[in-house]
PDB file of all heavy atoms in Angstrom:
ATOM      1  N   TYR A  98     -75.057 -22.175 161.502  1.00  0.00           N
ATOM      2  CA  TYR A  98     -75.825 -23.392 161.188  1.00  0.00           C
ATOM      3  C   TYR A  98     -76.787 -23.106 160.037  1.00  0.00           C
ATOM      4  O   TYR A  98     -76.892 -23.873 159.075  1.00  0.00           O
ATOM      5  CB  TYR A  98     -76.589 -23.851 162.433  1.00  0.00           C
ATOM      6  CG  TYR A  98     -77.238 -25.217 162.300  1.00  0.00           C
ATOM      7  CD1 TYR A  98     -76.579 -26.356 162.729  1.00  0.00           C
ATOM      8  CD2 TYR A  98     -78.511 -25.361 161.744  1.00  0.00           C
ATOM      9  CE1 TYR A  98     -77.155 -27.618 162.606  1.00  0.00           C
ATOM     10  CE2 TYR A  98     -79.099 -26.611 161.609  1.00  0.00           C
ATOM     11  CZ  TYR A  98     -78.419 -27.735 162.051  1.00  0.00           C
ATOM     12  OH  TYR A  98     -78.994 -28.978 161.931  1.00  0.00           O
ATOM     13  N   GLN A  99     -77.481 -21.979 160.162  1.00  0.00           N
ATOM     14  CA  GLN A  99     -78.450 -21.596 159.128  1.00  0.00           C
ATOM     15  C   GLN A  99     -77.747 -21.406 157.772  1.00  0.00           C
ATOM     16  O   GLN A  99     -78.262 -21.804 156.737  1.00  0.00           O
ATOM     17  CB  GLN A  99     -79.097 -20.276 159.543  1.00  0.00           C
ATOM     18  CG  GLN A  99     -80.514 -20.150 159.118  1.00  0.00           C
ATOM     19  CD  GLN A  99     -81.199 -19.016 159.857  1.00  0.00           C
ATOM     20  OE1 GLN A  99     -80.575 -18.262 160.619  1.00  0.00           O
ATOM     21  NE2 GLN A  99     -82.473 -18.881 159.639  1.00  0.00           N
ATOM     22  N   ARG A 100     -76.535 -20.845 157.831  1.00  0.00           N
ATOM     23  CA  ARG A 100     -75.782 -20.566 156.603  1.00  0.00           C
ATOM     24  C   ARG A 100     -75.286 -21.859 155.946  1.00  0.00           C
ATOM     25  O   ARG A 100     -75.423 -22.031 154.754  1.00  0.00           O
ATOM     26  CB  ARG A 100     -74.592 -19.648 156.942  1.00  0.00           C
ATOM     27  CG  ARG A 100     -73.974 -18.938 155.760  1.00  0.00           C
ATOM     28  CD  ARG A 100     -72.837 -18.038 156.198  1.00  0.00           C
ATOM     29  NE  ARG A 100     -71.682 -18.788 156.677  1.00  0.00           N
ATOM     30  CZ  ARG A 100     -70.821 -19.433 155.910  1.00  0.00           C
ATOM     31  NH1 ARG A 100     -70.979 -19.432 154.601  1.00  0.00           N
ATOM     32  NH2 ARG A 100     -69.797 -20.099 156.437  1.00  0.00           N
ATOM     33  N   VAL A 101     -74.732 -22.785 156.760  1.00  0.00           N
ATOM     34  CA  VAL A 101     -74.082 -23.948 156.137  1.00  0.00           C
ATOM     35  C   VAL A 101     -74.906 -25.231 156.177  1.00  0.00           C
ATOM     36  O   VAL A 101     -74.667 -26.137 155.388  1.00  0.00           O
ATOM     37  CB  VAL A 101     -72.679 -24.232 156.741  1.00  0.00           C
ATOM     38  CG1 VAL A 101     -71.748 -23.056 156.549  1.00  0.00           C
ATOM     39  CG2 VAL A 101     -72.772 -24.603 158.205  1.00  0.00           C
ATOM     40  N   VAL A 102     -75.865 -25.330 157.092  1.00  0.00           N
ATOM     41  CA  VAL A 102     -76.637 -26.590 157.199  1.00  0.00           C
ATOM     42  C   VAL A 102     -78.063 -26.407 156.688  1.00  0.00           C
ATOM     43  O   VAL A 102     -78.517 -27.140 155.820  1.00  0.00           O
ATOM     44  CB  VAL A 102     -76.657 -27.134 158.643  1.00  0.00           C
ATOM     45  CG1 VAL A 102     -77.350 -28.495 158.702  1.00  0.00           C
ATOM     46  CG2 VAL A 102     -75.248 -27.245 159.211  1.00  0.00           C
ATOM     47  N   GLY A 103     -78.770 -25.444 157.236  1.00  0.00           N
ATOM     48  CA  GLY A 103     -80.150 -25.246 156.796  1.00  0.00           C
ATOM     49  C   GLY A 103     -80.972 -24.536 157.849  1.00  0.00           C
ATOM     50  O   GLY A 103     -80.429 -24.025 158.837  1.00  0.00           O
ATOM     51  N   PRO A 104     -82.292 -24.507 157.672  1.00  0.00           N
ATOM     52  CA  PRO A 104     -83.162 -23.764 158.578  1.00  0.00           C
ATOM     53  C   PRO A 104     -83.114 -24.299 160.006  1.00  0.00           C
ATOM     54  O   PRO A 104     -82.814 -25.473 160.227  1.00  0.00           O
ATOM     55  CB  PRO A 104     -84.564 -23.946 157.975  1.00  0.00           C
ATOM     56  CG  PRO A 104     -84.452 -24.950 156.899  1.00  0.00           C
ATOM     57  CD  PRO A 104     -83.013 -25.168 156.586  1.00  0.00           C
ATOM     58  N   LEU A 105     -83.441 -23.411 160.942  1.00  0.00           N
ATOM     59  CA  LEU A 105     -83.356 -23.766 162.366  1.00  0.00           C
ATOM     60  C   LEU A 105     -84.666 -24.400 162.838  1.00  0.00           C
ATOM     61  O   LEU A 105     -85.182 -24.067 163.906  1.00  0.00           O
ATOM     62  CB  LEU A 105     -83.045 -22.515 163.196  1.00  0.00           C
ATOM     63  CG  LEU A 105     -81.770 -21.762 162.803  1.00  0.00           C
ATOM     64  CD1 LEU A 105     -81.635 -20.469 163.597  1.00  0.00           C
ATOM     65  CD2 LEU A 105     -80.547 -22.652 163.012  1.00  0.00           C
ATOM     66  N   THR A 106     -85.188 -25.331 162.044  1.00  0.00           N
ATOM     67  CA  THR A 106     -86.468 -25.961 162.391  1.00  0.00           C
ATOM     68  C   THR A 106     -86.327 -26.730 163.701  1.00  0.00           C
ATOM     69  O   THR A 106     -87.104 -26.563 164.626  1.00  0.00           O
ATOM     70  CB  THR A 106     -86.882 -26.932 161.260  1.00  0.00           C
ATOM     71  OG1 THR A 106     -86.536 -26.339 160.024  1.00  0.00           O
ATOM     72  CG2 THR A 106     -88.359 -27.225 161.292  1.00  0.00           C
ATOM     73  N   GLU A 107     -85.343 -27.593 163.776  1.00  0.00           N
ATOM     74  CA  GLU A 107     -85.096 -28.377 164.985  1.00  0.00           C
ATOM     75  C   GLU A 107     -83.583 -28.603 165.094  1.00  0.00           C
ATOM     76  O   GLU A 107     -83.010 -29.330 164.278  1.00  0.00           O
ATOM     77  CB  GLU A 107     -85.846 -29.719 164.896  1.00  0.00           C
ATOM     78  CG  GLU A 107     -86.084 -30.317 166.252  1.00  0.00           C
ATOM     79  CD  GLU A 107     -86.921 -31.592 166.194  1.00  0.00           C
ATOM     80  OE1 GLU A 107     -87.487 -31.885 165.131  1.00  0.00           O
ATOM     81  OE2 GLU A 107     -86.967 -32.285 167.218  1.00  0.00           O
ATOM     82  N   VAL A 108     -82.977 -27.977 166.077  1.00  0.00           N
ATOM     83  CA  VAL A 108     -81.521 -28.048 166.233  1.00  0.00           C
ATOM     84  C   VAL A 108     -81.202 -28.329 167.700  1.00  0.00           C
ATOM     85  O   VAL A 108     -81.829 -27.765 168.600  1.00  0.00           O
ATOM     86  CB  VAL A 108     -80.846 -26.711 165.807  1.00  0.00           C
ATOM     87  CG1 VAL A 108     -79.327 -26.833 165.867  1.00  0.00           C
ATOM     88  CG2 VAL A 108     -81.286 -26.285 164.415  1.00  0.00           C
ATOM     89  N   VAL A 109     -80.234 -29.224 167.927  1.00  0.00           N
ATOM     90  CA  VAL A 109     -79.775 -29.481 169.298  1.00  0.00           C
ATOM     91  C   VAL A 109     -78.537 -28.627 169.541  1.00  0.00           C
ATOM     92  O   VAL A 109     -77.597 -28.640 168.738  1.00  0.00           O
ATOM     93  CB  VAL A 109     -79.420 -30.974 169.488  1.00  0.00           C
ATOM     94  CG1 VAL A 109     -78.843 -31.216 170.877  1.00  0.00           C
ATOM     95  CG2 VAL A 109     -80.656 -31.832 169.272  1.00  0.00           C
TER      96      VAL A 109
END
Side-chain angles (χ1 to χ4, degrees):
Y98 189 94
Q99 213 165 5
R100 198 179 69 75
V101 300
V102 185
L105 303 174
T106 321
E107 202 175 349
V108 185
V109 176

